Amino acid sequence: LENEKLDKWQYSLQAALSQQLANKREADFNYSDIRRVSNTLQNLAPSNVADLAALSLEHIKDLANQIRNSDTDDYKQYWNLDSHAKPDERRHEEACRDAFLSDLKRRLAPLGIDAVPEGQYAGDKRADIRLSFGGTNGFNLPIEIKCSDHKDLWYAIHNQLIKKYTRDPGAHGYGIYLVFWFGAEGVTPPPEGPRPKTATELEARLYDLLANNEERRQIAIGVIDCTEPI
């Protein structure tokens, strides 16, 4: 489709791509049994990887709200503090991941969902977090994490999450891209257009990078605002 020499074949190639995506959805689809449907409706154990992704994203959004707005100042977990307990500089990306994973684990463990750092994928590649359910015959969800000032902020969705992790047979194309926002001043400039000024704007801009309906259906994005509330 991107080869200009094949312009006259665009219609046929696009039709073939649409058919292939339909075939893939059909191949990946599994009917759930009554127990799994019941669990899904009650927000209990996930019945498939799509359900795991939706459930995890809801918990991530809830944690984001807690980090931003709780009276326990949870946002400070993501900063090195000065002598007055004020944010000085952001913590290392792995430290931010571990702090977030600790809270996420407590929410998902009662549902039988395992959450581990540095989850193993093909080619000895490791996602920042791997959520899994059902053991060896179950399914999994990779989560790739970046801080808002990381040099690969705008490229890791495709170059890491989609290219390296969501192709795992147990992930069925699903994944979550999670960003820790530390303010507009240090955010990595996008390939085009102005820098986002808020965490909400960054999330919208990252969703705009998803190339097609298939990616928008399977890839979720969460931005955690770690700045000091005003």
Side-chain angles (χ1 to χ4, degrees), residues 2 21 27 38 49 59 70 73 77 98 110 119 155-156 165 169 185 207:
E2 295 174 356
L21 291 174
S38 177
V49 68
H59 281 290
S70 72
D73 290 341
Q77 298 178 84
D98 292 345
Y155 305 101
Y165 310 134
E185 184 176 343
Y207 267 114

Side-chain angles (χ1 to χ4, degrees), residues 17-33:
L17 175 60
S18 297
Q19 184 60 54
Q20 178 64 19
L21 291 174
N23 292 343
K24 182 178 183 297
R25 284 193 296 271
E26 185 68 23
D28 288 344
F29 181 79
N30 290 300
Y31 286 100
S32 294
D33 57 29

Side-chain angles (χ1 to χ4, degrees), residues 46-208:
S47 60
N48 52 48
V49 68
D51 189 23
L52 174 60
L55 178 66
S56 301
L57 186 62
E58 284 304 308
H59 281 290
I60 287 172
K61 288 180 177 179
D62 195 46
L63 278 173
N65 180 59
Q66 178 179 314
I67 290 166
R68 182 65 178 160
N69 299 308
S70 72
D71 58 5
T72 52
D73 290 341
D74 287 4
Y75 75 94
K76 289 185 177 180
Q77 298 178 84
Y78 301 89
W79 292 87
N80 293 316
L81 306 179
D82 63 19
S83 58
H84 301 287
K86 291 291 185 180
D88 185 15
E89 59 180 6
R90 74 162 178 85
R91 298 184 68 190
H92 190 276
E93 189 172 280
E94 289 185 3
C96 294
R97 176 203 63 195
D98 292 345
F100 189 81
L101 179 58
S102 179
D103 288 336
L104 188 61
K105 269 186 172 183
R106 284 194 289 270
R107 290 167 169 262
L108 299 182
L111 303 176
I113 300 170
D114 190 29
V116 298
E118 301 293 335
Q120 181 95 27
Y121 283 89
D124 201 28
K125 305 299 182 183
R126 296 177 181 272
D128 288 302
I129 295 175
R130 177 186 172 109
L131 306 181
S132 58
F133 181 82
T136 55
N137 296 319
F139 41 85
N140 70 83
L141 182 73
I143 300 179
E144 179 62 23
I145 292 175
K146 288 287 178 283
C147 290
S148 56
D149 58 357
H150 195 284
K151 63 182 179 64
D152 293 327
L153 172 67
W154 301 98
Y155 305 101
I157 295 177
H158 289 96
N159 293 348
Q160 289 181 258
L161 180 60
I162 294 176
K163 182 178 181 179
K164 298 178 180 179
Y165 310 134
T166 65
R167 65 188 181 95
D168 184 89
H172 296 283
Y174 284 83
I176 294 177
Y177 188 53
L178 186 64
V179 176
F180 296 114
W181 170 265
F182 290 97
E185 184 176 343
V187 68
T188 301
E192 57 184 32
R195 299 188 193 195
K197 297 179 180 179
T198 66
T200 302
E201 185 182 345
L202 173 61
E203 183 173 311
R205 295 277 294 277
L206 290 171
Y207 267 114
D208 287 342

Side-chain angles (χ1 to χ4, degrees), residues 36-47:
R36 289 181 174 181
V37 171
S38 177
N39 284 342
T40 298
L41 293 175
Q42 297 178 71
N43 287 325
L44 298 177
S47 60

